Amino acid sequence: MLITGCSSGGGDDTQAEGKPVAEPKPLAEEALRPLLLSQADLGAGYLRVQEKAESERFEDVSVQGCAALEKLGQNGDDAMFASRAETSFTYGTRATFGEELHSDRPSVLSSGLRGLFSAYTSCTTYTMTAGTTQFEVKISESATPKLGDEQFAYTSTMDLPAGAQVLKTMAVRKGNIAVMLVGAPALVDRHIKTAVNKLPERS
């Protein structure tokens, strides 16, 4: 995947007398799928693409020059939360746009997202190898809209052989669900509010 970006603090999970409040349980993948963005939500020009098999998602991909990312591992983020649902689209001829929904107890989502985005923004530059292609990645933290309980974002610029590609990664936690968008910065900024608004008020 994807990620510290800018973030806002969550609410207080204790009652007035100091007793902890029971956290909502994670939603199952089946409950997350209807909350994903659809072509109808996005508008004209978007085409949904086939999801890759789990074994193909991180095949022959590695990171060099950033200790935090190397420690995180190729797929450490996928095992971090209790459930996940995802979808992806193409827009126009080249642009891609992906969404992931994750669910877990709010405290687990909060700490996990903070750690994940901290790892991805701990190095301003690093080298990525995909198959036999090696390229430099530059990372910068990004501003986030005030949505949900916490927000995180960063922008990555990849110096690919075919030219530079810029992607924005943004996550918003709302209770026990986190939505993450990855794609061209303008597309992420355009659709993050719609994605968050599809989430229930409190699950």
Side-chain angles (χ1 to χ4, degrees):
M1 188 179 15
L2 326 162
I3 315 184
T4 243
C6 305
S7 66
S8 66
D12 188 0
D13 290 331
T14 58
Q15 295 175 334
E17 60 270 26
K19 295 180 180 179
V21 177
E23 292 190 289
K25 295 180 180 180
L27 297 182
E29 178 185 348
E30 293 74 19
L32 291 176
R33 288 205 165 274
L35 306 176
L36 289 167
L37 291 168
S38 66
Q39 287 174 277
D41 296 318
L42 298 174
Y46 292 85
L47 180 65
R48 191 173 184 274
V49 298
Q50 183 77 27
E51 293 178 20
K52 290 184 178 181
E54 192 69 27
S55 60
E56 298 177 348
R57 297 179 69 238
F58 298 98
E59 187 177 3
D60 295 330
V61 177
S62 61
V63 169
Q64 302 86 37
C66 185
L69 285 181
E70 292 178 43
K71 184 177 179 180
L72 183 65
Q74 293 181 347
N75 62 349
D77 54 323
D78 284 334
M80 187 175 292
F81 305 122
S83 59
R84 183 191 76 204
E86 62 184 306
T87 189
S88 57
F89 302 85
T90 58
Y91 180 72
T93 57
R94 295 184 58 186
T96 60
F97 179 77
E99 179 188 24
E100 295 181 6
L101 293 177
H102 297 270
S103 186
D104 213 315
R105 291 182 292 113
S107 61
V108 174
L109 280 178
S110 179
S111 62
L113 288 171
R114 287 175 183 275
L116 189 64
F117 276 83
S118 292
Y120 271 85
T121 56
S122 62
C123 304
T124 56
T125 62
Y126 60 88
T127 300
M128 178 174 284
T129 302
T132 59
T133 303
Q134 190 174 76
F135 52 92
E136 185 178 74
V137 182
K138 298 178 181 179
I139 299 293
S140 60
E141 297 186 17
S142 302
T144 58
K146 295 299 182 181
L147 298 170
D149 300 312
E150 291 180 288
Q151 315 88 26
F152 309 83
Y154 72 88
T155 300
S156 55
T157 302
M158 294 172 285
D159 188 13
L160 300 171
Q165 181 180 14
V166 181
L167 294 177
K168 189 171 189 176
T169 300
M170 185 180 295
V172 174
R173 181 184 69 82
K174 187 176 180 181
N176 63 346
I177 305 175
V179 56
M180 187 178 300
L181 301 185
V182 182
L187 300 184
V188 171
D189 292 341
R190 183 185 305 169
H191 297 298
I192 185 63
K193 186 174 181 180
T194 302
V196 174
N197 285 343
K198 291 196 72 168
L199 306 184
E201 283 306 311
R202 281 295 178 267
S203 303

